[in-house]
Amino acid sequence: MTFDYDLFVIGGGSGGVRAARVAAAGGARVALAEQDRYGGTCVIRGCVPKKLMVFASEYANDMKDAQAYGWTVHAGGFDWDRFHGKLTDELDRLEGVYRNLLKNSGVDSFDARARLSDAHTVTLSTGESYSAKHILIATGGRPVRPDLPGAEHGIVSDDIFHLPKLPKSILIIGGGYIACEFAGVLNGLGVEVTQYYRGAQILRGFDDEARGLVAEEMIQGGISLHLGTNILSMEKDGAGYRVKSTNGTEKVFDQVFFATGRRPNSDDLGLEDLGVELGRGGQIVVNEYSQTAVPSIYAIGDVTDRVNLTPVAIREGMAFVETVFNGNPTPVDHDLIPTAIFTQPEIGTVGLSEEDARAQEPIEVYCTSFKPMRQAFAGRVNRVMMKLVVSQETRKVLGCHIVAPGAGEMIQMAGIAVKMGATKEDFDRTCAVHPTMAEELVTMKTPVRTG
Ligand code: NDP
């Protein structure tokens, strides 16, 4: 049987574009459909604009520090319009880069919504249909609002990048990556930030000591963080919104931001009719080669809800191409993925939390918390933390957790050692880089806890 294409990719985000490009570079005839903007969540409404907003927000403290270091700096306040204009231009540029990458690799791209009409056919919203030997679904996910009265008035992370002006006050609901990162960003940009999280501590699943320190630092930085608290309902009140919460209070905020998780974009793709299995959260169920229950259909990235991170989606895309087009079955390695949360301060983490490691085997914990030189000199009271969780039996570092400015950069490097199976003694025989914060990772001599 002949097909129009060897591969039809649905979704032009990081994972889909990478898979399409690499398959086409290897000689496959490839098409890709995207209903919105090329670059997907990461480039258009996630990691990239978020990180630029993190940078923008950090200047507030940088300017205070500069004054403490002897500079005459007159901060004139933050101009959202100016920043937003530049941000929009940058995203337009990046979208152009993504479109060109596809074009230059010989991928046919369609600005249309796609739906599967059978195991080898994609039908576009423009009415055209194309057959393909393989179909790759890389449609990502989207933010969800909780089901409560008035929730439709709240914004989600997609909206943050399009605000006509910054609110004076905001209530952020949630305690995950997005809630905590934007609490720091908006606080730094001068917005009065209140955050409600329903659980006992933010950033569930991360190392307890690390998330405890981040929570302290967020409060110290001016965020009004309320744990064990959730929103019950919201309604319009003048120019803002009146919010009833589980702590019995009623308060008015200019804006309410739901950072309450994301859902895979698997609806209305025609999947169930073809026998593609979906999980309870709507995620596409795949095997280690990203193959669904229908052999010609594969899925990668957030729509599969495995590890929802851009570099993971890209690796899943590469492994898919290697498996399907290069005849080299390559499972995706989801073990020991280093990651950063761009809170202020950042968390960089790889491997097991102290709690998870202890549940697995006897451990030693090496941990230090201190005031870093740069901030301490400027008179700030902020603390940082470096922690290694070590197996008593194998001496391997099972987890490394850093809370510090620049922790994302540090954990990328530490992640290599941990992925290679480095032991505590390997860390110890690495000479310190002085004076840095990260040198503490190789100079911790005595465990603070064992067992
Ligand atoms: P998360 O799943 O990380 O967090 C969702 C938060 O919302 C949790 O604190 C959750 O509470 C809370 N929540 C869920 N439902 C409700 C509800 N009905 N009422 C109140 N609170 C609720 O999702 P995010 O949206 O923050 O991020 C999605 C994913 O995107 C992340 O998991 C991550 O993979 C990725 N991401 C990565 C980033 C990075 O690498 N730096 C940055 C941003 C996103 P509870 O803990 O109790 O369930």
Side-chain angles (χ1 to χ4, degrees):
M1 182 168 171
T2 55
F3 297 100
D4 296 327
Y5 291 104
D6 299 315
L7 172 64
F8 203 111
V9 180
I10 305 180
S14 307
V17 168
R18 178 62 67 93
R21 278 205 300 131
V22 177
R29 293 167 307 143
V30 183
L32 183 147
E34 166 60 54
Q35 63 172 358
D36 196 342
R37 298 188 66 185
Y38 286 69
T41 298
C42 171
V43 176
I44 303 296
R45 59 192 86 84
C47 321
V48 171
K50 179 275 307 286
K51 189 84 189 271
L52 290 169
M53 284 181 78
V54 170
F55 290 144
S57 70
E58 285 175 343
Y59 284 103
N61 279 330
D62 288 352
M63 269 180 292
K64 283 188 211 142
D65 289 357
Q67 286 171 341
Y69 271 82
W71 286 91
T72 305
V73 179
H74 302 289
F78 176 68
D79 183 341
W80 171 252
D81 284 343
R82 251 172 69 202
F83 171 75
H84 191 244
K86 277 200 78 171
L87 181 68
T88 307
D89 291 347
E90 177 61 4
L91 300 186
D92 289 348
R93 186 187 72 79
L94 288 172
E95 186 182 6
V97 168
Y98 269 72
R99 281 184 183 273
N100 277 334
L101 282 172
L102 289 172
K103 197 167 143 215
N104 297 338
S105 321
V107 175
D108 290 344
S109 43
F110 298 93
D111 288 19
R113 185 175 166 81
R115 205 173 180 282
L116 277 72
S117 32
D118 66 43
H120 290 284
T121 308
V122 172
T123 302
L124 301 179
S125 47
T126 51
E128 301 151 89
S129 279
Y130 294 97
S131 62
K133 185 162 185 212
H134 305 285
I135 294 170
L136 178 66
I137 301 167
T139 46
R142 62 181 186 282
V144 286
R145 288 176 174 76
D147 185 15
L148 56 89
E152 70 279 5
H153 297 303
I155 60 168
V156 292
S157 57
D158 290 358
D159 305 315
I160 270 285
F161 309 111
H162 304 293
L163 293 177
K165 64 182 176 67
L166 283 180
K168 217 170 129 334
S169 65
I170 197 163
L171 170 65
I172 301 180
I173 312 291
Y177 279 79
I178 295 180
C180 296
E181 289 183 343
F182 275 103
V185 165
L186 294 168
N187 182 49
L189 295 181
V191 180
E192 216 174 275
V193 177
T194 305
Q195 184 179 355
Y196 289 172
Y197 173 53
R198 63 185 179 182
Q201 185 54 281
I202 55 167
L203 298 170
R204 184 164 58 82
F206 290 91
D207 185 85
D208 273 356
E209 223 169 348
R211 61 204 192 115
L213 179 56
V214 170
E216 267 173 41
E217 291 289 324
M218 285 170 65
I219 294 166
Q220 174 75 32
I223 294 163
S224 176
L225 173 64
H226 299 255
L227 300 172
T229 307
N230 207 352
I231 182 173
L232 288 171
S233 66
M234 63 183 283
E235 61 185 25
K236 196 118 189 58
D237 183 317
Y241 300 95
R242 176 171 296 276
V243 171
K244 278 191 198 162
S245 60
T246 53
N247 62 10
T249 60
E250 265 191 49
K251 282 192 184 148
V252 176
F253 300 91
D254 282 353
Q255 215 136 46
V256 176
F257 174 0
F258 291 107
T260 44
R262 296 176 63 85
R263 195 181 155 83
N265 283 329
S266 59
D267 308 340
D268 197 28
L269 286 169
L271 296 173
E272 295 95 326
D273 302 345
L274 297 179
V276 172
E277 191 190 339
L278 298 185
R280 279 184 53 201
Q283 74 276 24
I284 300 180
V285 178
V286 290
N287 66 15
E288 75 259 51
Y289 301 108
S290 300
Q291 189 175 31
T292 71
V294 178
S296 59
I297 303 174
Y298 289 74
I300 56 166
D302 288 9
V303 76
T304 63
D305 195 22
R306 285 176 282 180
V307 180
N308 297 334
L309 299 170
T310 301
V312 176
I314 290 173
R315 293 177 82 87
E316 288 168 358
M318 304 281 281
F320 157 78
V321 174
E322 198 56 28
T323 302
V324 173
F325 291 97
N326 298 344
N328 176 23
T330 304
V332 185
D333 179 5
H334 288 112
D335 196 27
L336 292 173
I337 294 170
T339 181
I341 313 171
F342 295 97
T343 39
Q344 300 180 24
E346 294 172 12
I347 298 188
T349 179
V350 62
L352 298 176
S353 66
E354 178 180 338
E355 297 70 37
D356 287 349
R358 184 171 291 116
Q360 177 183 292
E361 62 184 278
I363 54 169
E364 286 179 357
V365 178
Y366 295 82
C367 188
T368 177
S369 178
F370 56 95
K371 287 187 196 165
M373 186 201 254
R374 180 177 170 157
Q375 285 78 6
F377 186 83
R380 284 211 251 157
V381 292
N382 309 73
R383 299 186 75 78
V384 300
M385 187 196 94
M386 307 279 155
K387 180 172 188 174
L388 294 177
V389 180
V390 178
S391 161
Q392 282 190 21
E393 191 197 341
T394 64
R395 304 300 299 153
K396 276 190 184 168
V397 175
L398 302 173
C400 174
H401 311 283
I402 303 173
V403 178
E409 303 289 348
M410 296 181 217
I411 205 67
Q412 181 68 82
M413 299 295 117
I416 300 171
V418 174
K419 185 81 183 165
M420 289 175 74
T423 61
K424 174 68 170 68
E425 287 63 37
D426 291 325
F427 273 69
D428 291 347
R429 64 195 174 80
T430 305
C431 190
V433 178
H434 184 71
T436 63
M437 291 180 278
E439 69 181 305
E440 298 290 333
L441 286 175
V442 297
T443 55
M444 292 185 285
K445 292 284 168 261
T446 318
V448 291
R449 288 179 286 282
T450 52

